[in-house]
Amino acid sequence: MDLTDEPDALVSASVIARLLLGAQEAEQGFVPAVRLRGARVTGRLDVSGGTVERELRLERCVLDEAPRFNDARTRELRLTDCVMPGFDGSGLRAEGYVSLSGSVVEGQVKLVRAQLSSGLRMNGTKITAGDERYAFFAGALLVEGGVFVRNAEITGGVRLTGARMTGGFFLEGARLSNPGRIALDGQNITVTDAMECARGFQAEGTVKLRGARIDGTLSFDQAGPLRRPGHVALQLSHATVSELILTPSEPIEGLVSMSYARFGVLLDDPERWPEQLRLTGATYESLRGGGVTRRVDWVSRDPEGFRPQPYEQLAAWYLRDGNEHLARRTQLLKMRRRRRTLSWPSRAWSALLDYTVGYGYRPWQAFGWLAAIVAFGTAVFGRVPPRPLKEPAELPDFNAFAYVIDLMVPIGAFGQRAAWDAVGWTQWLAYGIIAAGWILATALIAGVTRVLRPN
């Protein structure tokens, strides 16, 4: 049946259903199909559970009721540039591709458990669902070709939990809106090739890809605003992604969670880093983009406070990349931020380790303190010499520098400490130098032990 450009044509949905299900024998030498353009379809088009051997192509048609293809087996199915109050293809098995491109759907599109052998096309489709339902509801969807939702407008959210797409998932320019709720629920989806949420993609609500597996690139390059202020805007925890490109056109409004995710390559832009970022348990093989020296700020954005693992992961990456200095700096800043979580006595000891030896990552600081103490002590004892403790014949010549060194070193190296004793107020200085020697030695040993201790 082929009815073309007859705007006043009324076609009964039941007639279309009977034709699709084989009410009329197919002529030899022709591809059996039902093609309508510009018609109004009255009644409900329902082929649920049936086997459709004919292609269906509806273009610029108006359907009074939502078509039903539940558990049907079909060939190619096109409803392009049409207007309809919904579409139900739950359990649909389609050998050809399914297209709703350009259509306006004032209701829910359902493809739960559908299996589409040649792809799904929803380019430019507008879907609006009411009653807080998902506008596009397609959990456990299996598509062996690509899924194309470019420049679509979907109000009410998209649910694709457990879906599998072996030819990629393309959302460039798509606008998803479900304020205060989930805009895209892609928990545990599997995408082979690329998932492109790029070049104008927008989401008002959470983009949830928890546990997703993307065997290719997941790109948010030049994506428009991703918004859910005060909540999780982008959920990537426990995901496995070969390459993540997180370079939106503006900073994400809301929390980004990458906890326990695994990335092969992670490319981002320091100017677009989210204000709140969870990285606990996340691992990556390579970091790309700018801000190499600013990554410590990147791992410090967890709203729940200090977490050690992101620092350890970053330091390990710095070492693999040959940036030993930045690895030490990362470990040092990790210890400084950990100090804020400690009790007062532990915090005091931690501060001492920091100021004296930089937790072992800056041992030269101890030599700086040593030089300052020796210089000050030498000047003081040069002006106020200690009193002798031995007979003049047994006394070595007094040397202020050697005397201060003997005070700092637990065992007298020059014999000055056993032969001379500070007098008056300089006794307190001598006690202070002795204590400083012990403190510096203990801090240096503790710091170096911390650095050398296996993780």
Side-chain angles (χ1 to χ4, degrees):
M1 180 177 181
D2 193 343
L3 182 64
T4 304
D5 291 330
E6 294 291 339
D8 297 325
L10 297 178
V11 181
S12 172
S14 61
V15 172
I16 298 175
R18 288 197 296 271
L19 290 171
L20 291 174
L21 294 172
Q24 181 177 346
E25 291 290 334
E27 296 183 27
Q28 293 186 352
F30 293 89
V31 176
V34 176
R35 303 183 183 92
L36 296 175
R37 182 182 299 161
R40 179 170 181 176
V41 179
T42 61
R44 183 184 297 278
L45 174 56
D46 190 345
V47 294
S48 299
T51 299
V52 178
E53 297 294 342
R54 290 152 174 79
E55 295 181 359
L56 173 64
R57 298 185 183 183
L58 303 182
E59 298 180 29
R60 299 200 301 275
C61 293
V62 177
L63 289 79
D64 287 348
E65 298 185 42
R68 294 177 59 89
F69 286 81
N70 305 63
D71 299 312
R73 294 180 177 273
T74 72
R75 300 177 64 185
E76 188 173 291
L77 185 61
R78 300 189 196 179
L79 288 83
T80 57
D81 300 314
C82 295
V83 177
M84 65 192 86
F87 179 89
D88 193 347
S90 299
L92 171 67
R93 306 290 189 272
E95 295 180 5
Y97 72 84
V98 174
S99 176
L100 298 176
S101 291
S103 292
V104 176
V105 183
E106 295 290 337
Q108 189 177 53
V109 174
K110 295 180 66 176
L111 287 171
V112 180
R113 304 182 316 280
Q115 297 182 16
L116 314 180
S117 298
S118 299
L120 172 64
R121 302 180 186 179
M122 293 173 55
N123 296 321
T125 303
K126 295 182 180 180
I127 308 174
T128 303
D131 302 325
E132 299 186 356
R133 297 180 300 172
Y134 280 98
F136 181 30
F137 190 58
L141 172 69
L142 173 60
V143 184
E144 296 182 10
V147 177
F148 300 88
V149 195
R150 293 179 173 130
N151 301 310
E153 296 182 20
I154 302 178
T155 303
V158 175
R159 183 174 173 85
L160 294 168
T161 55
R164 294 168 55 197
M165 307 169 192
T166 61
F169 188 15
F170 303 94
L171 291 144
E172 297 98 322
R175 295 184 292 279
L176 312 182
S177 180
N178 200 17
R181 294 187 290 272
I182 296 176
L184 172 60
D185 189 350
Q187 280 197 95
N188 300 313
I189 68 169
T190 300
V191 179
T192 303
D193 199 354
M195 181 171 175
E196 293 283 346
C197 302
R199 293 187 292 281
F201 171 81
Q202 302 177 22
E204 188 75 33
T206 300
V207 174
K208 190 173 185 179
L209 297 174
R210 189 180 191 277
R213 183 181 183 90
I214 314 296
D215 295 328
T217 300
L218 171 58
S219 176
F220 291 90
D221 184 43
Q222 297 303 307
L226 306 180
R227 295 194 185 105
R228 197 178 177 188
H231 295 82
V232 178
L234 177 58
Q235 172 65 274
L236 289 169
S237 61
H238 299 274
T240 301
V241 182
S242 298
E243 180 181 27
L244 172 63
I245 300 176
L246 193 59
T247 54
S249 59
E250 55 188 83
I252 296 172
E253 296 183 30
L255 173 69
V256 175
S257 177
M258 300 182 184
S259 300
Y260 305 99
R262 292 184 293 172
F263 305 102
V265 177
L266 197 163
L267 187 156
D268 58 10
D269 180 359
E271 304 306 321
R272 299 291 182 266
W273 284 345
E275 291 296 325
Q276 295 184 324
L277 175 64
R278 287 180 184 157
L279 286 168
T280 301
T283 60
Y284 40 82
E285 297 177 11
S286 179
L287 292 174
R288 295 174 53 202
V292 172
T293 60
R294 297 165 54 188
R295 287 287 176 184
V296 171
D297 175 60
W298 178 67
V299 298
S300 305
R301 299 190 171 206
D302 195 315
E304 297 179 3
F306 171 76
R307 296 290 185 272
Q309 188 273 340
Y311 292 88
E312 296 288 348
Q313 172 65 26
L314 179 60
W317 176 75
Y318 276 140
L319 284 176
R320 291 197 306 270
D321 201 47
N323 289 309
E324 185 175 351
H325 167 70
L326 292 176
R328 290 197 304 270
R329 179 171 174 264
T330 300
Q331 293 283 15
L332 175 61
L333 291 176
K334 179 195 74 172
M335 299 305 300
R336 287 177 175 172
R337 285 169 182 167
R338 176 180 177 271
R339 187 164 73 224
R340 303 171 187 172
T341 68
L342 302 176
S343 61
W344 185 88
S346 298
R347 194 180 306 172
W349 173 245
S350 178
L352 181 63
L353 288 177
D354 186 5
Y355 296 139
T356 53
V357 293
Y359 296 102
Y361 297 104
R362 292 181 174 178
W364 57 86
Q365 289 182 188
F367 295 103
W369 285 104
L370 174 65
I373 294 170
V374 169
F376 181 72
T378 300
V380 171
F381 288 114
R383 288 179 175 274
V384 187
R387 64 183 176 85
L389 294 175
K390 296 182 179 181
E391 296 297 328
E394 300 177 355
L395 279 175
D397 292 337
F398 176 72
N399 185 295
F401 174 79
Y403 180 68
V404 173
I405 295 296
D406 265 4
L407 290 174
M408 296 196 70
V409 177
I411 56 173
F414 303 107
Q416 296 280 319
R417 182 176 177 180
W420 303 91
D421 189 22
V423 295
W425 66 271
T426 62
Q427 285 186 332
W428 293 104
L429 175 60
Y431 298 153
I433 292 175
I434 292 171
W438 280 103
I439 291 172
L440 285 173
T442 304
L444 185 61
I445 292 170
V448 171
T449 302
R450 184 188 302 276
V451 173
L452 296 179
R453 182 186 303 136
N455 290 327

